[in-house]
Structure formats: structure tokens, C-alpha cells
Amino acid sequence: MEETSLKRKVVLTCAQPTGKLHLGNYIGAVRQWVELQESCECFFGIVDMHAITMPYVPADLRKNTYMCAAQYLACGLDPDKCSLFIQSNVIGHAELNWVLACLCPLGQLERMTQFKDKSRKLSAGGDVSIGSGLLFYPVLMAADILIYNADIVPVGEDQKQHLELARDLAVKFNNFYSPTFNVPEAYIPKTGARIMSLQNPEAKMSKSDKNALGSLYMIDSPDVLRKKIMSAVTDSESSVKFSPEKKGISNLISIMGAVSGKSVAEIENEFAGKQYGDFKKAVSDAVIAKFDPIRVKYEELMRDKAYLESVLKRGAEAAQRRADRTMSKVYRKAGFVDAVRGSK
Ligand code: AMP
Ligand code: TRP
């Protein structure tokens, strides 16, 4: 019998190995993961199989996977408190993807916002063929979640539609076969955690920003961080006040709040009567104080691939144990005969 009430909640989340993580990723995602590992049983996946749904370079994927793992650990993910693993290292994600795909209506996948956006961009860029993996992306994501029977799934706003599909598929499976999957809940960080580009405060800070000065990366050197913050776009006034009309300075106030733990009011008071230049200098100091120890730790980890691999191996083994329990149920319910292990 499962004593769910006594058990810690199971958290699962994944991210694509995008290489360098920016301040938005830190505030909107990684920071929450570091907190959650204290109270929940956490599985964090680096989804390399999702990364190949768009055109890519294998050598970059390999490097980015190590980089992401090292950055997560440098931010405080603790291998003794959570399982950090690479998706392709755990057998079952692709297998469950297949079983779920057979339950998932094609039309539902074709209507997904992210599929439409990404396929439109590929066609506009002259790509003649769009791989069907892109269409199945949300089903693989549902498999990532359901294979661990997760209770809670931390995701950004943009992934809500995909999480809904995972919930639908859990219910469909449970109804068609028999109760098997938990129906997971999204965990979306509070609003206000949306960090905007330093060069265009109307747009989210994002890796795909064409302007290299728009994003603050946690592994940028202190000089680079300072240069980017000092040249952040602001308005022509000079009072450090949070306001929807002053998006540039408001974004810097949010950043200051997020890295220093101070409230907006505290920041406004502290900088009353000061110039933007003084404030930007203080924001630079605060961001550097937060990121520099992370960068140093990251560089140390990147020099020790054997250690990184040992952490990822341990994470994959724990993930595999949980995935195996789910998959043996799923295959049995699907009616697959296991002639290798035999029927018991
Ligand atoms: P991405 O790799 O851009 O999809 O980002 C991974 C996660 O980081 C998202 O699901 C969000 O939780 C978070 N994130 C990304 N960009 C931002 C941003 N500009 N502000 C806040 N959170 C962000
Ligand atoms: N699609 C998610 C993103 O781009 C990444 C992802 C893949 C994920 N599988 C997942 C997130 C499972 C949460 C749970 O952000």
C-alpha cells in the first residue's frame, strides 16, 4: 500500500540544454528548483531528446548538456538532495511517448501553439521539411512527466498548454486502461518574475535575442555583466521608481529585487534622489555578487567531466528505478507480452 499522505511530493521538471543560462532562467526556474529540493523528492531532466526536434549540431548539443549540468550544480542543485539526469540516459521516456502517442489525437498536436510557431519559423527560414519529432514534442514531454508519476511540474507560462496535454493524456490512459497515472499540477512561479531584455524592455530576456547586450548570463565575466547593465536602455527621466511607463528602470528594479531579496519599496527608498547611473552601478554590484561565485564554481565543474558524469549517472539510476516501475505497469496494461522476463 502506498502511504501517499506521508510521502514527500514528487517534483519533475526538465529543460532543454540551451548552453548558457541567463538571469531569466535563474529567477524564473533554477532558483525555484533549488528551493524545492529541500522539501520534495525532485527529478530534474536535461532533455536532449527534445533538443533534436529542431535543426542542431551534435557537438554543440554534447557541450551544452555538460554546460547546463554544471550551471545547475553551481546554482545549488545538490546531488544528495535531487536527481539530476539526462533524458536520453533513462530508458522509458521514448517508450512511454509511443504508448501515449497512440492515445493522442493528431489534431490536438497540430493545434499546439509552440508547434505552429516553430514550424512557421522553420518554413519561413527556408527549411523544406519539418521533422515529425517537432509535432510529437508535447507527447514526449507528457512521457517525461508521467513516467515519474510527478505531483508537481514547475514550468514557465509558455509550457502551460503542454502541461494540459500531459494531464489529458494521463486521464485518457487511466480511463482507457485503468488508473495508473497521477494527474500532475503545474507550478508556475509568481508573476513579477518575468525578466525583460536590457536592450528592449518590451521583450523577454531570451537566448534568441539578437542583441548580445540584452541578456545577462550567469557565466558572463564581471566586466561583461557590468557593461551590459550600465548600457541597459532606460527612459529620459532619472527617478528610480517602478512604473508600467518606465519599463527599462522597472526591469532593473525587478532584477535588483530578485538578486538582493529587497522589496521594490526598499529599493525605491534607498535610491530616492539618486541618478540612474548610481542605481545601475548598484545593480551591477548585486548581480555580480550573485553570479560570480556561480561562475567560479561552474568553471571548476567544467574542468572535471568525470565528476559531472558521476553525478548524472547517479541521477539517471534513481530516475531509472522510478521509470521502470511505471513502465512495467504500462506495458502490462497495454497487453504487451514480456517473453524476456516472463509472465508471473
Ligand atoms: P527557456 O530555455 O527560454 O525555455 O527557459 C526555461 C525556463 O526559464 C522557462 O520555462 C522559464 O521558467 C524561465 N525563463 C526563461 N526566460 C525567462 C525570463 N525572461 N524571465 C523569467 N523566467 C524566464
Ligand atoms: N518543453 C519544456 C521547455 O521548453 C522542457 C520540458 C521537456 C519539460 N519535458 C518537460 C518541462 C517535462 C517540464 C516537464 O521549457
Side-chain angles (χ1 to χ4, degrees):
M1 251 245 308
E2 297 214 327
E3 314 133 271
T4 26
S5 57
L6 295 176
K7 274 206 184 137
R8 290 196 302 166
K9 294 253 188 224
V10 174
V11 172
L12 170 286
T13 193
C14 303
Q16 291 208 36
T18 45
K20 295 195 287 185
L21 300 181
H22 56 66
L23 184 80
N25 299 131
Y26 178 73
I27 292 171
V30 187
R31 201 171 57 155
Q32 277 79 10
W33 308 356
V34 173
E35 274 171 27
L36 285 164
Q37 68 179 349
E38 299 300 331
S39 52
C40 301
E41 182 173 357
C42 292
F43 294 88
F44 299 119
I46 300 176
V47 287
D48 51 354
M49 289 156 78
H50 279 103
I52 70 170
T53 57
M54 292 290 274
Y56 81 109
V57 177
D60 292 347
L61 174 59
R62 191 171 295 123
K63 174 147 198 278
N64 289 342
T65 301
Y66 283 113
M67 284 176 72
C68 280
Q71 285 167 90
Y72 294 145
L73 296 171
C75 285
L77 285 195
D78 178 347
D80 288 330
K81 295 182 179 162
C82 69
S83 302
L84 177 64
F85 67 92
I86 300 171
Q87 181 189 35
S88 66
N89 291 182
V90 180
I91 299 165
H93 290 245
E95 285 75 3
L96 183 56
N97 165 70
W98 182 252
V99 176
L100 296 175
C102 294
L103 283 174
C104 183
L106 185 55
Q108 205 171 351
L109 296 181
E110 287 167 337
R111 285 194 298 275
M112 287 281 161
T113 313
Q114 185 180 283
F115 172 69
K116 288 196 286 188
D117 284 353
K118 286 190 176 173
S119 49
R120 203 179 296 128
K121 278 197 193 119
L122 284 178
S123 327
D127 277 271
V128 272
S129 78
I130 292 163
S132 28
L134 191 60
L135 183 67
F136 285 95
Y137 180 113
V139 185
L140 179 60
M141 177 164 162
D144 297 338
I145 298 168
L146 301 182
I147 203 164
Y148 298 105
N149 246 320
D151 298 301
I152 300 169
V153 185
V155 280
E157 269 301 313
D158 63 325
Q159 296 297 313
K160 260 168 84 175
Q161 194 182 32
H162 289 165
L163 194 79
E164 265 322 303
L165 180 79
R167 290 165 55 89
D168 283 355
L169 290 174
V171 172
K172 271 212 172 93
F173 188 100
N174 291 347
N175 290 341
F176 185 76
Y177 297 100
S178 62
T180 308
F181 293 120
N182 197 21
V183 182
E185 299 287 340
Y187 177 90
I188 297 177
K190 296 160 223 55
T191 46
R194 200 151 173 258
I195 302 299
M196 311 309 279
S197 160
L198 297 180
Q199 290 294 312
N200 172 16
E202 304 281 338
K204 238 176 49 161
M205 183 176 286
S206 147
K207 203 184 168 236
S208 49
D209 194 341
K210 297 277 177 297
N211 191 333
L213 290 174
S215 304
L216 297 168
Y217 292 105
M218 59 173 78
I219 58 175
D220 279 343
S221 69
D223 286 352
V224 169
L225 290 171
R226 191 174 297 280
K227 181 165 161 248
K228 288 178 177 174
I229 295 169
M230 295 309 289
S231 55
V233 170
T234 45
D235 52 80
S236 54
E237 290 178 40
S238 65
S239 64
V240 180
K241 283 240 163 276
F242 197 96
S243 134
E245 277 91 62
K246 289 152 63 83
K247 294 214 162 61
I249 204 74
S250 299
N251 188 38
L252 289 177
I253 295 176
S254 302
I255 293 175
M256 182 66 159
V259 296
S260 68
K262 290 179 190 158
S263 70
V264 171
E266 279 173 314
I267 296 168
E268 286 176 345
N269 281 337
E270 191 179 334
F271 291 92
K274 298 253 174 65
Q275 300 295 312
Y276 281 175
D278 299 324
F279 181 56
K280 285 179 170 177
K281 196 173 163 302
V283 175
S284 307
D285 292 341
V287 169
I288 291 167
K290 185 90 210 166
F291 279 177
D292 213 43
I294 294 178
R295 181 184 57 82
V296 170
K297 181 84 195 149
Y298 161 80
E299 283 169 2
E300 187 188 315
L301 288 164
M302 283 299 276
R303 284 192 294 268
D304 195 352
K305 295 266 157 59
Y307 172 75
L308 279 181
E309 284 172 6
S310 74
V311 168
L312 293 164
K313 178 166 187 264
R314 216 171 118 192
E317 285 165 354
Q320 188 70 64
R321 281 192 291 278
R322 204 169 161 89
D324 283 346
R325 286 210 292 277
T326 307
M327 285 316 285
S328 64
K329 283 189 217 160
V330 167
Y331 270 27
R332 187 165 33 79
K333 294 183 189 205
F336 297 165
V337 171
D338 189 347
V340 176
R341 275 172 222 92
S343 56
K344 274 199 278 139

